[in-house]
Amino acid sequence: MKKILEQISEVVSEAFEAAGYERSYGKVTLSNRPDLCEYQCNGAMAAAKAYKKAPFEIANAVVEKLAGNELLAEAVCVMPGFINMKINPEFLAGYLNEMAASEKFGYELPENPLSIVVDYGGANVAKPLHVGHLRPAIIGESVKRICKYVGHNVIGDAHLGDWGLQMGQVIEETKDRQPDLPYFDPDFKGEYPEEAPFTIEELSEIYPTASAKCKVDEEFKQRAQEATFKFQNGDPGYTALCRHITNVSKQDLKKNYDNLLVFFDLWKGESDAQPYIDDMIDDMVKKGVAYESQGALVVDIAMEGDKKEYPPCIVRKSNGAAIYQTTDLATIVERKKLYDPNQIIYVVDKRQDLHFIQVFRTARKAGLVADDCKLDFLGFGTMNGKDGKPFKTRDGGVLKLETLIADINQAVYERIIENREISEEEARENARIIGLAALKYGDLSNQASKDYVFDVDRFISFEGNTGPYLLYTIVRIKSILNKYADNGGNVDVANKVLAPVNDSERALMLQITKLNEMLENAYAEIAPHKICQYCYELADAFNKFYHETKILTEENQERKESFIALIKLTRDIMLTCIDLLGFEAPERM
Ligand code: ARG
């Protein structure tokens, strides 16, 4: 269905035309003076210049043509030539009923869905997830869900770091512990074992040990580097061992991401891109895009109008090695071949922005993607502690993600049992659900590119702009609906929303109408925080309405049914919003 601003704009455009002016002046926006009106059109100001008339005169003529229109209850012209409008309550109610009866609340799906790859998560195999992995997971998951919701074909790819030094470190540490394994025997000819030589518990201890050794043991460090080089160049034993590292690690990562309700469609890694590198670079050289500079192969990426100087993108180092940029470029080649995307969205720390400028510009210059394929870098800011510095453990170490989540859940749990009788089991389960909402909303409610302060006490509060406040509101609606059902009401029947009875009901209804506009923007601007803001305002509007309206004791049956329809719609929209943000609501709180 058409968005409400489109519908009103159409009506006003027609009025402009009927009054003898160009239709295009009839664009309507939300009022920036909600105390005066709900919608406004400033077109008469622009038309005044074109038609050399006073804006007021034009606005007046348009307002005259709007008289009696069924969408608007009021259209007035105010000096010097604004048109202020209020919506017709009957139309408003009808609009909501249409939303409630439509798939996805009437969101208009694209005629030609795009194929979109969302590259997020970016965990490194063999290393534990730490707080630094929280933002790419949370933001990326939400971005993926938003792209899917608005109707595109979306693939979320974890793009694991499985090509780095940590692999060599784990290889060498494993060798020190189990030197007789066939992976280390260059003359081994048989099949390598299917079983990994370590469990996840062992692996999660092997990596930190190896990494610590590298810092103090020069000889070990050298060996780890050589092992990395060997496996990157296809040594069969090392490659087989790396496959074990990746598989064991993946299972653990998957468990952690599952707990965060983060689900990847693909679990590809940097290693998957390696087969594409040689041909890609050959092609770049052939096209004259890449050239030799001090033994390395580089691509100039500076462009006219640059405000900064951008160093060339190295695609092959002088020792022949491929680097991070090379891998990302080859991944683009791979994605183009396998998924032919129209858009690739990278959700990565904003400190990597130079990297992505280099990658995107090189990809364009070398023609790795079609010209109309969008390459978007959603660079996120840092999660800081209350001291304003990047979040650390109390002793200054890197906090494991599991620990952070457990801490939040514990804090929520303590709050839950503070003043309520609740079974231990339900309290733990609720703490998990509410904790995740607190964590995710605390992150997503900030514009992704900004740094934010991780403040558990604030995030888990049931009041204010928090995840738990949204859940609390949803649970409140659920409980009203349950009571209604307990008293013989039928919640499943599709009742009609009637025109609002008071200002708070009207405000709630108006907020609901803004949904599809907001979703369109959240996708276009890759901005989950817009959903947070909307949902928070919706919760507020509902709670005001709830406090000012006797819903269940309303005597007029039709009116009561209308209230039920309205709060059901509110609940469903809120559930949709939190699903797009990547969390769930409990049954009770
Ligand atoms: N593994 C990388 C890191 O830990 C992040 C990967 C981001 N994605 C990408 N396509 N480069 O920094």
Side-chain angles (χ1 to χ4, degrees), residues 119-125 127 130 132-133 136 157-162 166 270 324-325 327-329 331 335 344-349 352 355-356 359 377 380:
D119 178 319
Y120 71 111
N124 300 312
V125 309
K127 299 187 189 179
H130 57 77
H133 294 108
D157 182 9
H159 197 71
L160 300 176
D162 58 359
Q166 85 269 26
E270 295 178 340
Y324 188 38
Q325 280 85 332
T327 298
D328 261 317
L329 287 163
T331 305
R335 286 176 178 156
I344 309 178
I345 302 173
Y346 296 82
V347 183
V348 183
D349 193 311
Q352 294 194 19
H355 168 79
F356 283 100
V359 169
F377 171 56
F380 53 80

Side-chain angles (χ1 to χ4, degrees), residues 398-458:
V398 182
L399 188 61
K400 275 177 85 174
L401 199 51
E402 265 179 298
T403 315
L404 176 97
I405 293 171
D407 287 353
I408 288 216
N409 290 357
Q410 183 61 23
V412 175
Y413 170 79
E414 280 160 22
R415 181 153 301 188
I416 292 177
I417 57 166
E418 229 164 60
N419 39 23
R420 276 202 48 197
E421 286 290 315
I422 178 168
S423 76
E424 172 70 10
E425 200 192 340
E426 191 179 352
R428 288 285 172 200
E429 174 64 5
N430 275 2
R432 194 185 57 74
I433 297 174
I434 300 167
L436 188 62
L439 184 66
K440 287 194 164 187
Y441 191 88
D443 186 314
L444 293 169
S445 52
N446 305 283
Q447 197 176 329
S449 61
K450 299 222 166 95
D451 299 347
Y452 77 101
V453 173
F454 187 82
D455 181 347
V456 178
D457 294 331
R458 188 169 76 72

Side-chain angles (χ1 to χ4, degrees), residues 338-375:
L338 302 180
Y339 318 111
D340 198 16
N342 309 98
Q343 183 176 19
I344 309 178
I345 302 173
Y346 296 82
V347 183
V348 183
D349 193 311
K350 74 176 173 197
R351 286 170 292 192
Q352 294 194 19
D353 75 335
L354 174 61
H355 168 79
F356 283 100
I357 289 173
Q358 290 184 318
V359 169
F360 292 175
R361 287 188 177 189
T362 302
R364 294 242 180 263
K365 209 167 166 179
L368 304 186
V369 286
D371 288 343
D372 59 359
C373 173
K374 280 181 78 191
L375 297 172

Side-chain angles (χ1 to χ4, degrees), residues 178-219:
Q178 306 179 63
D180 297 332
L181 289 174
Y183 312 102
F184 310 119
D185 174 5
D187 299 322
F188 184 77
K189 286 284 174 298
E191 293 270 316
Y192 291 106
E194 283 199 10
E195 190 92 2
F198 33 62
T199 62
I200 180 61
E201 285 73 29
E202 285 158 348
L203 182 61
S204 55
E205 182 263 325
I206 291 174
Y207 168 70
T209 308
S211 145
K213 250 193 201 172
C214 273
K215 295 202 178 93
V216 293
D217 183 340
E218 194 50 44
E219 187 259 350

Side-chain angles (χ1 to χ4, degrees), residues 42 69 78 85-86 152 169 236 278 316 427 436 449 507 535 589:
N42 303 341
N69 185 284
V78 293
M85 287 160 282
K86 282 193 179 149
H152 299 302
Q169 294 173 333
D278 287 343
R316 207 190 271 296
L436 188 62
S449 61
C535 203
M589 258 169 103

